[in-house]
Amino acid sequence: MSNALTSCVTIPGKSKINSCFQDVQNDTLKWVQQFDIAPKFKPLSWYSKARFGFQAAREYPDATYAQVSLAGDLLSWLFTVDDSCDRGSADAATALEMRRQLEIFIAILNDEYIEDDNSLSMALKDILHRFSDISSPFLYRRYCMHMTDYLNECFFEIDMQIDGLMPSIDRYYKERPYTGFYIMFPLVAIFEKLNLPDEVYDHSIIREIELILNLLGCLSNDLHSIVREAKLEKPGFNLIFIAQKELDLGRDEAVQYVINEHKAHLLRFEQLRAQLPYWGRAVNEQVDRYIQGLYTIVRGYDDWAVIDTGRYENI
């Protein structure tokens, strides 16, 4: 199945891009140099090609310049850590060092005093300070929780790669949502200064909508990245490869399986929107803005990956 077909799998609607996208892109390049992330972890050309400023501008098209810049710096940090974890899967010694660094990141998120001058640690502290300045206590804790969940999932992926294990489909659906999208969700409420009661965020339907949108992003990412990941010695955390093995499918059959999963989750999302409780006009208007913001993140990510960067082109 051609990559041209799989790259078209996304959620309906047109994405926008914030008018400050180019300035934010320039800012992200300055930020990774400020904290010596480039060239210490990846060359500056890697960040330039990745266009994390464009990604932030896609995911938060109506945010302020400062907000989009913060999101761009966060994305630069997350993708650097993700790449470091991939390289940390090369051997046991490298994996041990990466696990130690992940533990330090988690301690920082728990507001523990850590004497660590690692560039990524210093950059994380900068990001957290900037978020704490603009977030309510509840949303800041929610953001830190999602960051911690992501880092814990990195441990799982390192172990998976080192041990050469292929997770089950059930394990995929348990672990895959923690790989990044959740982190970006609280930013919608933070940037828009939503004033929703905490119990609304914790409502079962809102939580399931977050999960479904997260999985829609993950499933489209699996489809977009299939050609690149198929060339790797150890395939990534991708449902196509997992379904191939567990269900004894050919490659095209496994791709269609994931496309069908994407369609089923999109249908479930629409069903959940129709089941939202009525909390009152003011609250429900903000709930609609929140859900639309989450949707925009997933749609924007797809266009960043396929249009802005050609990240998963078949080359």
Side-chain angles (χ1 to χ4, degrees):
M1 186 168 289
S2 72
N3 196 47
L5 176 59
T6 59
S7 68
C8 293
V9 177
T10 185
I11 56 180
K14 294 182 179 180
S15 69
K16 299 188 298 181
I17 188 165
N18 198 296
S19 61
C20 64
F21 64 91
Q22 190 59 65
D23 288 335
V24 171
Q25 173 61 18
N26 294 335
D27 284 349
T28 64
L29 298 180
K30 293 175 183 177
W31 186 82
V32 294
Q33 293 176 89
Q34 175 188 346
F35 287 94
D36 199 28
I37 297 173
K40 184 174 182 179
F41 291 91
K42 300 293 289 185
L44 187 62
S45 59
W46 185 82
Y47 295 96
S48 180
K49 184 178 180 181
R51 291 185 168 186
F52 296 123
F54 280 64
Q55 182 182 357
R58 286 277 189 195
E59 296 184 3
Y60 308 99
D62 299 315
T64 68
Y65 175 67
Q67 291 168 345
V68 182
S69 290
L70 176 52
D73 295 344
L74 170 61
L75 289 164
S76 299
W77 190 90
L78 288 170
F79 276 88
T80 304
V81 171
D82 186 73
D83 183 80
S84 298
C85 287
D86 288 342
R87 288 184 281 113
S89 302
D91 56 72
T94 308
L96 178 61
E97 180 56 35
M98 192 63 222
R99 287 189 183 101
R100 287 172 178 162
Q101 191 59 57
L102 291 172
E103 289 170 354
I104 290 173
F105 296 154
I106 291 172
I108 291 171
L109 285 160
N110 288 330
D111 202 24
E112 298 175 18
Y113 178 76
I114 298 292
E115 190 67 49
D116 179 47
D117 60 358
N118 179 282
S119 299
L120 285 173
S121 297
M122 300 300 290
L124 175 59
K125 292 176 182 178
D126 174 71
I127 289 170
L128 293 179
H129 175 72
R130 290 155 69 190
F131 270 116
S132 67
D133 281 348
I134 62 174
S135 304
S136 69
F138 175 85
L139 289 172
Y140 181 73
R141 288 194 302 271
R142 182 62 59 94
Y143 165 76
C144 289
M145 178 191 74
H146 289 322
M147 286 281 282
T148 302
D149 287 342
Y150 161 73
L151 295 169
N152 281 321
E153 197 278 334
C154 288
F155 285 107
F156 169 76
E157 288 207 44
I158 290 173
D159 291 341
M160 183 181 72
Q161 294 286 332
I162 287 289
D163 297 334
L165 300 177
M166 179 75 77
S168 66
I169 292 174
D170 284 346
R171 191 66 186 273
Y172 171 93
Y173 276 113
K174 179 181 178 181
E175 301 289 346
R176 188 72 165 95
Y178 297 122
T179 56
F181 279 102
Y182 268 139
I183 294 172
M184 310 310 294
F185 287 175
L187 276 60
V188 173
I190 293 169
F191 290 170
E192 294 204 25
K193 295 181 172 57
L194 299 183
N195 188 30
L196 289 170
D198 297 353
E199 56 266 26
V200 172
Y201 291 111
D202 286 328
H203 192 278
S204 59
I205 292 181
I206 297 293
R207 298 296 292 272
E208 189 175 354
I209 284 174
E210 292 175 339
L211 173 62
I212 294 298
L213 284 170
N214 190 325
L215 287 169
L216 282 166
C218 292
L219 291 167
S220 64
N221 179 261
D222 288 356
L223 291 160
H224 299 160
S225 63
I226 177 61
V227 172
R228 188 176 78 170
E229 291 192 20
K231 297 176 183 178
L232 300 176
E233 183 179 346
K234 297 179 180 179
F237 199 7
N238 189 310
L239 186 58
I240 295 171
F241 301 112
I242 296 169
Q244 266 192 276
K245 180 179 179 181
E246 184 170 331
L247 303 178
D248 193 24
L249 302 176
R251 177 62 54 80
D252 284 2
E253 291 175 307
V255 167
Q256 189 59 54
Y257 170 83
V258 175
I259 291 174
N260 292 342
E261 288 288 289
H262 189 278
K263 290 177 180 177
H265 282 79
L266 184 57
L267 176 61
R268 180 58 180 159
F269 168 70
E270 297 298 342
Q271 292 170 341
L272 288 166
R273 289 203 75 167
Q275 296 170 14
L276 281 167
Y278 184 69
W279 288 284
R281 180 178 175 181
V283 170
N284 278 73
E285 285 178 351
Q286 291 191 76
V287 167
D288 288 343
R289 286 166 57 195
Y290 178 64
I291 294 172
Q292 184 57 49
L294 305 186
Y295 192 94
T296 297
I297 288 172
V298 177
R299 189 65 177 83
Y301 175 88
D302 287 344
D303 280 349
W304 165 78
V306 176
I307 297 173
D308 294 332
T309 64
R311 184 175 177 82
Y312 299 121
E313 283 179 347
N314 183 10
I315 56 175

